[in-house]
Amino acid sequence: MVEVRDTERDLYRLRLRLAIAMGLVLTCFGLLVGRFVYLQLYRYADFHAQAEDNRIALVPAPPARGLIFDRNGVLLAENVSAYTLEISPRLAGRLDDTIAALSGVVEITARDRQRFRRLLEDSRSSDSVPLKVRLGDEEVARLAANRFRFPGVEISARLFRNYPLGETAAHVIGHIGRISPDDKRRLEEQELLSNYAGSTHIGKVGVEASYESTLHGRVGFEEVEVSAGGRIVRRLSRRPPVPGSNLVLSIDIRLQKLAEELYGERRGALVAIEPKTGDVLAFVSRPSFDPNLFVDGIDSQTWQALNEDPDKPLMNRPLRGTYPPGSTYKPFMALAALMSGTRTPQDTISDPGYFQLGNHRFRDSKPSGHGTVDLRKSIVVSSDTYYYKVAYDMGVDRIHDFMKPRGFGQLTGIDLEHENTGVLPSSQWKLKRFKQKWFPGETPSIGIGQGYNSFTILQLAHATATLANDGIVMRPHVVQAIEDPLTHKRQRTVPSESYRIDLRRDYLELVKSALVDVNRFGTGRIAFANTGYVAAGKTGTAQVIGIKQGERYDARRIAERHRDHSLFMAFAPADDPKIAVAIVVENGGFGAQAAAPIARKLFDFHLLGKLPSEVPENLLPRLLDEAELRDVPESVEPEQVAEPEPRP
């Protein structure tokens, strides 16, 4: 049977399908055209910017760090260019395999590996980490020839910090080190992190740290066109970095080096200041360390050795170490007695060799006493008895109030970080520190620079410079000027005085003349014999351990680290001071024995340009037995006195 098809219906269905298909095609093309119009007209600016960002990259150009010079133009910190082998962890694959393969091209030491691991822990995943620094020309050539074998490995040209004088003045200059996570957090809090783009190092201690913002400069940028693979095709524009400013230190590096050599193997601290300006001429901490060890990242063995060394070479002794000032405190106590009206220049006492307070006897360093003593003689012969009584009559709080403006127990404001305040005792201080009241029996020892007194050598030098400068206070500083690296124009850091201390001229001259007599007839006479100038000074001896009541101190029977500290303060010329100095030789014994000869040689060099002759220490004149075998002042009963703060 033949089926009859409905042609009209089939044609209608075909046309409907074609219409639907055409509608779908037109809709799709409409959507495409609409999307095209949207992207080209409405989103053009956004996508153009993204394309430019992918094509153009900003490469940071870290600035050259400022240089550091001494006052005479001697270069103390410089920048040297060298190549570094660096690895980007995110691109290098298995680090152990990469390092093993690289060791076949150049020598990779165990120290290089340890430093790399430590720096890797502190870095971000995007950072490149140095594996080997300061490559030689042959090493660079071998690595360049094999570069294609090591993805994520780069040879970078960088500026490295170098300290050409090594240990000399290391605690003043300080050093730089890799930027740590803590450094990054601090920079971010200060909104300075963007200025460290591309920088890997930052000042850690010394003026490298305290003048970091001055030395660092301002980062620059290069606008470069890059390929899809990240290779630089061409440079489009450049904003050059601004180099950091140079620092001109007040330090005379020749005087500094001489002072360090005079210490030999002994430990101690020394600060020399120009009284009229506050310029620190020498800032010595012995022993010292080589700051170059820290620039590339110090290895764990060396770091451990420095930290565990009993001589503490990393400790900045003038800034952080505190010591009882001993008899170097007496000139200031003499001024306190005069200015407070506790004593007049004519007042005398009979010194029997001790000061009696109730049932307790405070002994003098001279058991037989000094006879009749007035204020001038008390300084020249260093009468302990005189100052026991002065301190007791004044009271601890009046002593505190007099000494505070002179900088004892206060921050001097020197331009170095982490200065220690020390301890200037008062009744309020003891109540706060020990929750105990002040006992009268604790006061006499304060007068001879013992007891709770604990000051830095910087504070003693600052007070000595202020005394030499007639009460005009200049803030001590180790940076004399900041120099523009392009114009070489200099700006002084401390252009004027801080304040003035009101002193009676006749009292000041009396104390100064007594200090001159110390070096003429008193305890400093041997060290300052036959000088070509007049020097004022005062020796001091500070005990490290207590001696049982009734016993005599004998240095020959005591372990070296338990012996007394040797101290000296001085300035010269006495009528127009050019230099003031404070010195401590740890466990050096009597002040005239170890500290005073150092001051003499420094003064000879600074004032006369005279180098010290080579005189073996064992040929120095022996001191009197009473200097070597002294009586330690007795204290009050233990239950009445709190333990003093520990001293280094």
Side-chain angles (χ1 to χ4, degrees):
M1 184 176 180
V2 178
E3 182 182 357
V4 179
R5 300 182 62 179
D6 188 344
T7 306
E8 289 296 328
R9 189 180 62 183
D10 291 344
L11 185 61
Y12 171 76
R13 289 177 178 175
L14 177 62
R15 288 173 178 170
L16 180 62
R17 291 177 186 145
L18 289 174
I20 292 172
M22 185 174 292
L24 288 173
V25 170
L26 290 175
T27 301
C28 290
F29 272 105
L31 290 173
L32 288 174
V33 171
R35 183 65 176 170
F36 179 78
V37 171
Y38 172 75
L39 293 176
Q40 288 294 321
L41 297 181
Y42 294 99
R43 296 295 306 276
Y44 172 80
D46 294 339
F47 286 108
H48 181 268
Q50 290 182 31
E52 287 297 303
D53 287 342
N54 291 331
R55 182 179 70 90
I56 298 172
L58 289 178
V59 179
R65 195 170 181 84
L67 307 179
I68 301 177
F69 301 90
D70 90 325
R71 67 189 295 121
N72 298 311
V74 178
L75 185 61
L76 305 179
E78 62 182 346
N79 302 315
V80 294
S81 180
Y83 288 99
T84 301
L85 173 60
E86 299 185 0
I87 300 178
S88 295
R90 63 186 179 88
L91 301 175
R94 289 178 58 85
L95 290 178
D96 291 338
D97 294 343
T98 300
I99 294 173
L102 283 169
S103 63
V105 180
V106 295
E107 182 185 7
I108 308 295
T109 65
R111 182 176 184 269
D112 293 332
R113 295 171 188 265
Q114 291 172 358
R115 183 180 60 238
F116 176 79
R117 293 296 177 188
R118 189 178 68 256
L119 295 176
L120 186 64
E121 292 175 359
D122 294 337
S123 67
R124 297 174 300 185
S125 60
S126 59
D127 291 341
S128 61
V129 181
L131 174 61
K132 187 176 179 64
V133 297
R134 310 198 190 206
L135 299 169
D137 293 340
E138 185 178 340
E139 291 176 314
V140 172
R142 288 202 300 268
L143 286 168
N146 291 273
R147 167 68 182 81
F148 68 94
R149 295 169 47 197
F150 304 106
V153 176
E154 297 289 342
I155 304 169
S156 302
R158 293 188 181 274
L159 288 176
F160 288 88
R161 200 64 157 176
N162 182 57
Y163 305 99
L165 298 184
E167 290 189 2
T168 303
H171 289 91
V172 180
I173 303 167
H175 62 79
I176 65 171
R178 298 279 300 187
I179 297 176
S180 68
D182 288 340
D183 294 325
K184 290 176 182 176
R185 281 193 292 271
R186 189 179 69 253
L187 290 171
E188 193 169 13
E189 290 171 0
Q190 298 171 351
E191 299 182 349
L192 296 174
L193 190 59
S194 61
N195 194 41
Y196 282 78
S199 295
T200 57
H201 288 71
I202 194 170
K204 296 292 186 178
V205 296
V207 297
E208 289 277 28
S210 57
Y211 283 85
E212 169 62 29
S213 59
T214 302
L215 289 164
H216 178 71
R218 190 168 68 244
V219 68
F221 289 95
E222 283 188 342
E223 192 177 44
V224 297
E225 185 176 350
V226 296
S227 66
R231 293 185 58 189
I232 295 176
V233 177
R234 62 189 176 114
R235 287 174 170 79
L236 303 176
S237 64
R238 184 172 186 266
R239 190 189 81 181
V242 178
S245 298
N246 300 328
L247 299 183
V248 180
L249 302 190
S250 58
I251 300 292
D252 182 341
I253 205 63
R254 300 168 304 169
L255 189 72
Q256 174 84 20
K257 191 168 181 62
L258 173 61
E260 293 181 2
E261 290 174 352
L262 290 171
Y263 268 86
E265 298 300 317
R266 297 173 297 185
R267 304 173 301 279
L270 178 152
V271 177
I273 299 176
E274 188 175 67
K276 287 184 173 60
T277 62
D279 284 359
V280 176
L281 302 171
F283 191 93
V284 175
S285 182
R286 299 300 294 169
S288 188
F289 64 95
D290 185 356
N292 291 299
L293 295 171
F294 293 86
V295 175
D296 302 330
I298 191 169
D299 63 274
S300 57
Q301 290 88 349
T302 305
W303 174 249
Q304 184 178 5
L306 288 171
N307 273 283
E308 294 180 358
D309 190 329
D311 290 340
K312 303 187 186 309
L314 296 179
M315 181 180 181
N316 191 326
R317 282 170 160 83
L319 194 73
R320 298 286 303 157
T322 57
Y323 308 84
S327 293
T328 61
Y329 204 46
K330 290 174 182 175
F332 305 100
M333 283 297 302
L335 272 175
L338 292 170
M339 292 298 296
S340 65
T342 306
R343 294 288 185 275
T344 69
Q346 295 76 31
D347 288 342
T348 63
I349 67 162
S350 177
D351 179 0
Y354 60 87
F355 170 67
Q356 191 76 29
L357 182 61
N359 296 325
H360 306 287
R361 181 168 290 187
F362 295 82
R363 297 189 182 278
D364 199 288
S365 58
K366 186 177 181 181
S368 60
H370 296 280
T372 301
V373 178
D374 61 6
L375 188 134
R376 174 189 289 273
K377 184 178 177 181
S378 73
I379 296 174
V380 176
V381 301
S382 198
S383 169
D384 291 340
T385 303
Y386 187 93
Y387 290 98
Y388 287 142
K389 185 165 177 52
V390 163
Y392 183 76
D393 290 345
M394 282 191 68
V396 67
D397 289 329
R398 280 210 291 175
I399 295 172
H400 170 275
D401 294 344
F402 182 86
M403 298 299 178
K404 184 177 179 179
R406 285 143 186 85
F408 288 109
Q410 316 300 312
L411 295 177
T412 65
I414 193 170
D415 46 351
L416 292 172
E417 296 180 344
H418 310 301
E419 181 183 359
N420 196 339
T421 58
V423 175
L424 178 64
S426 67
S427 57
Q428 281 297 110
W429 167 84
K430 189 189 174 190
L431 189 63
K432 182 178 179 181
R433 175 68 176 79
F434 295 109
K435 305 295 187 291
Q436 292 182 358
K437 68 176 185 179
W438 187 271
F439 297 105
E442 297 173 295
T443 307
S445 294
I446 299 297
I448 64 165
Q450 294 283 173
Y452 293 109
N453 286 322
S454 186
F455 310 128
T456 66
I457 293 303
L458 173 61
Q459 290 171 352
L460 181 57
H462 178 46
T464 303
T466 301
L467 176 65
N469 202 30
D470 298 337
I472 301 173
V473 179
M474 299 297 299
R475 179 169 63 85
H477 51 277
V478 296
V479 175
Q480 186 184 75
I482 298 173
E483 180 185 79
D484 187 291
L486 303 177
T487 65
H488 299 291
K489 184 179 179 180
R490 294 183 177 182
Q491 180 180 1
R492 284 194 66 93
T493 55
V494 181
S496 59
E497 65 191 60
S498 297
Y499 57 91
R500 297 192 177 202
I501 298 173
D502 185 27
L503 290 170
R504 275 186 52 170
R505 188 74 190 182
D506 54 339
Y507 290 166
L508 182 64
E509 292 303 322
L510 172 61
V511 171
K512 281 187 173 183
S513 65
L515 292 174
V516 169
D517 286 345
V518 169
N519 289 340
R520 283 177 171 170
F521 318 114
T523 51
R525 67 189 183 281
I526 298 175
F528 281 85
N530 303 317
T531 60
Y533 49 86
V534 177
K538 183 71 188 75
T539 58
T541 308
Q543 68 183 61
V544 175
I545 60 170
I547 303 297
K548 292 181 181 179
Q549 187 169 344
E551 290 188 3
R552 301 184 74 194
Y553 173 87
D554 186 350
R556 294 165 294 194
R557 299 178 182 176
I558 296 177
E560 188 267 344
R561 291 182 184 273
H562 292 164
R563 295 174 189 169
D564 291 346
H565 295 323
S566 175
L567 294 108
F568 192 68
M569 57 81 81
F571 55 89
D575 58 343
D576 185 21
K578 299 291 192 301
I579 181 173
V581 67
I583 303 169
V584 63
V585 179
E586 293 181 8
N587 314 116
F590 188 47
Q593 184 177 18
I598 294 176
R600 165 66 188 272
K601 292 178 175 66
L602 291 182
F603 286 3
D604 283 354
F605 178 78
H606 188 70
L607 301 175
L608 307 177
K610 183 178 173 184
L611 287 170
S613 57
E614 296 295 329
V615 180
E617 187 177 351
N618 58 2
L619 294 184
L620 291 173
R622 288 186 60 81
L623 298 166
L624 299 175
D625 285 343
E626 65 182 284
E628 296 182 342
L629 299 170
R630 66 166 175 79
D631 284 307
V632 176
E634 296 175 8
S635 61
V636 295
E637 291 297 325
E639 62 267 24
Q640 294 180 300
V641 184
E643 279 292 315
E645 283 214 328
R647 302 195 276 277

